[in-house]
Structure formats: C-alpha cells, structure tokens
C-alpha cells in the first residue's frame, strides 16, 4: 500500500518524464479494483494470479510474517527503458526508497 501510494503521489513527476507505472500482484480482479479505487491509483494494476511474471523477475519466494512462512511476492521494483532493457532492479526495497530511487533513474 505504501509503495503504491508513493507512486500515486509522484505520478505527476513520472508523467513529466514520459514514464509508465505498472503494479503487478497475484491478487484477483476484484481485489485489484477495490485497491485501485480505495487508494485512487492512476496507473494500471496487472493480475499475476499464476505468478508467472513474479517467477520471471525472481520475486516469487518464501516470506514470513509473525513466525508463519508462506509463498508470495517480495517487494521490488524494475525500471525498463523504452528499448525494453532493465535499467534498474531493486529487490527487497522499502516502499519510500522505491519511489525515490525510481524517480532518480527515470
């Protein structure tokens, strides 16, 4: 939520740089619609219910919360330039740092 809202708040700066934000998660369409509406997100959320995208980008893995282990998406961001090349990859990044670093790279 913090990462998504940070990108929402920085969206005017992102648009000025002709960049696009895509959020990706394994949640379903109903969840995405509620999340997008609740937080007034101006960017597209992609559904990765079979976590194929997360697998390709290496972010699907074991997580733990309150001593319980489960599989999920590890927080990350990827910046892909207009030629389709990765120019910045951040794994395990904090939400606030993600937005700031992305703005510096685009």
């Amino acid at each position: 939520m913090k990462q998504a809202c940070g990108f929402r708040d920085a969206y005017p700066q992102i648009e000025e740089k002709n960049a696009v934000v895509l959020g990706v998660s394994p949640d379903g369409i109903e969840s995405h619609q509620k999340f997008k509406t609740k937080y007034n997100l101006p960017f597209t959320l992609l559904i990765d219910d079979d976590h194929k995208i997360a697998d390709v980008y290496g972010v699907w893995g074991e997580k733990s919360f309150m001593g319980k282990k489960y599989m999920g998406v590890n927080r990350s961001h990827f910046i892909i330039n207009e030629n389709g090349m990765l120019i910045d990859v951040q794994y395990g990044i904090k939400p606030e740092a993600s937005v700031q670093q992305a703005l510096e790279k685009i």
Side-chain angles (χ1 to χ4, degrees):
M1 184 265 307
K2 286 183 182 181
Q3 188 177 29
C5 289
F7 279 104
R8 174 203 62 205
D9 296 346
Y11 205 69
Q13 294 167 276
I14 293 166
E15 284 185 311
E16 285 174 6
K17 296 179 179 211
N18 292 318
V20 175
V21 173
L22 299 173
V24 182
S25 93
D27 297 327
I29 191 163
E30 187 175 315
S31 174
H32 277 256
Q33 288 172 336
K34 286 180 184 178
F35 188 75
K36 185 171 178 144
T37 299
K38 181 176 181 176
Y39 295 106
N40 196 29
L41 303 179
F43 49 85
T44 301
L45 300 178
L46 301 176
I47 297 169
D48 187 26
D49 57 356
D50 56 4
H51 58 82
K52 285 183 181 178
I53 297 170
D55 283 335
V56 168
Y57 282 88
V59 297
W60 185 258
E62 187 174 82
K63 298 176 73 165
S64 69
F65 181 71
M66 297 183 67
K68 293 186 179 186
K69 295 193 184 293
Y70 62 98
M71 296 299 286
V73 177
N74 293 300
R75 185 180 310 282
S76 54
H77 83 225
F78 301 87
I79 299 177
I80 303 167
N81 72 12
E82 63 275 3
N83 298 317
M85 298 186 62
L86 284 169
I87 60 169
D88 187 45
V89 176
Q90 299 293 326
Y91 294 105
I93 192 163
K94 299 217 179 290
E96 300 82 7
S98 180
V99 175
Q100 186 58 41
Q101 286 185 23
L103 286 172
E104 292 170 5
K105 295 286 184 175
I106 58 174

